[in-house]
Amino acid sequence: MWIVFALLAALSAATVVTLSKVGIKQVDSSVAFAIQSVMILVVSWSVVIGQGNLSDVTRIERKVWIYLIIAGVVTCLSSLFSFRALKLGNASQVSPLTNFSLVLAVFMAGVFLKEKLNWQVIVGTILMGIGAIMIAIARE
C-alpha cells in the first residue's frame, strides 16, 4: 500500500510544481509560499481533527517534538528555496534538480538511519542523480 501513497505523493508534487510556477509569475516567491503554507496548515490540522487524532499531540515526547520542529523548519527552507528556483528557472529543469534530494535521502538513510543499501539501490540512485543533473543542465 505504501507504493500507492508514494506515487500519489509524486503526482501531487508534480502538480504543485506546475501550479506554483503559474502562481508565482506575478507574485514574489516568498509571498506565494506563505499563501500555500496557510493552506497546508488548514488542511493538515483538518485531517488530524477529522481523524480524531488531536489528543495524540499531548502524548508526543519532547525529543520527538524537537525532531519534528527541526524538520518543519528545514521543510520551510526547502520550500522557500524551491519557490525561488521556480521563480527564476523553468519548472522542467528546476523540479528534477530539487528532486536530487532522492540521492541525498538514500545516502542519509544509509549513513544516519543505518539502512541497508544493495547494489540495485546504489546503481538506481546514481542513475537518478545523473538523470536529474542532465535534465537540469539541458538547453532549451
Side-chain angles (χ1 to χ4, degrees):
M1 197 60 186
W2 66 268
I3 293 174
V4 172
F5 286 109
L7 292 173
L8 287 171
L11 176 61
S12 299
T15 304
V16 166
V17 167
T18 305
L19 293 173
S20 296
K21 180 62 178 176
V22 173
I24 62 175
K25 285 186 178 182
Q26 303 294 326
V27 178
D28 180 74
S29 59
S30 59
V31 172
F33 171 66
I35 293 168
Q36 277 194 7
S37 296
V38 170
M39 291 311 305
I40 292 167
L41 202 63
V42 169
V43 171
S44 60
W45 281 107
S46 296
V47 170
V48 169
I49 292 166
Q51 291 177 336
N53 294 330
L54 190 58
S55 62
D56 291 353
V57 173
T58 60
R59 294 190 289 271
I60 299 173
E61 296 176 22
R62 185 169 195 257
K63 183 177 181 181
V64 173
W65 271 107
I66 292 168
Y67 284 124
L68 293 175
I69 289 169
I70 293 169
V73 170
V74 174
T75 298
C76 288
L77 291 173
S78 172
S79 294
L80 284 167
F81 296 147
S82 293
F83 270 66
R84 186 68 179 147
L86 277 173
K87 181 78 172 180
L88 300 172
N90 294 324
S92 61
Q93 292 174 300
V94 169
S95 184
L97 199 53
T98 60
N99 285 307
F100 191 77
S101 62
L102 171 127
V103 174
L104 301 173
V106 170
F107 173 77
M108 289 178 171
V111 172
F112 298 112
L113 302 176
K114 307 296 184 219
E115 291 185 8
K116 301 283 187 220
L117 305 178
N118 59 32
W119 71 269
Q120 293 103 325
V121 171
I122 293 168
V123 170
T125 302
I126 291 168
L127 292 174
M128 294 285 285
I130 292 169
I133 292 169
M134 287 179 67
I135 293 169
I137 63 172
R139 305 270 186 230
E140 291 182 34

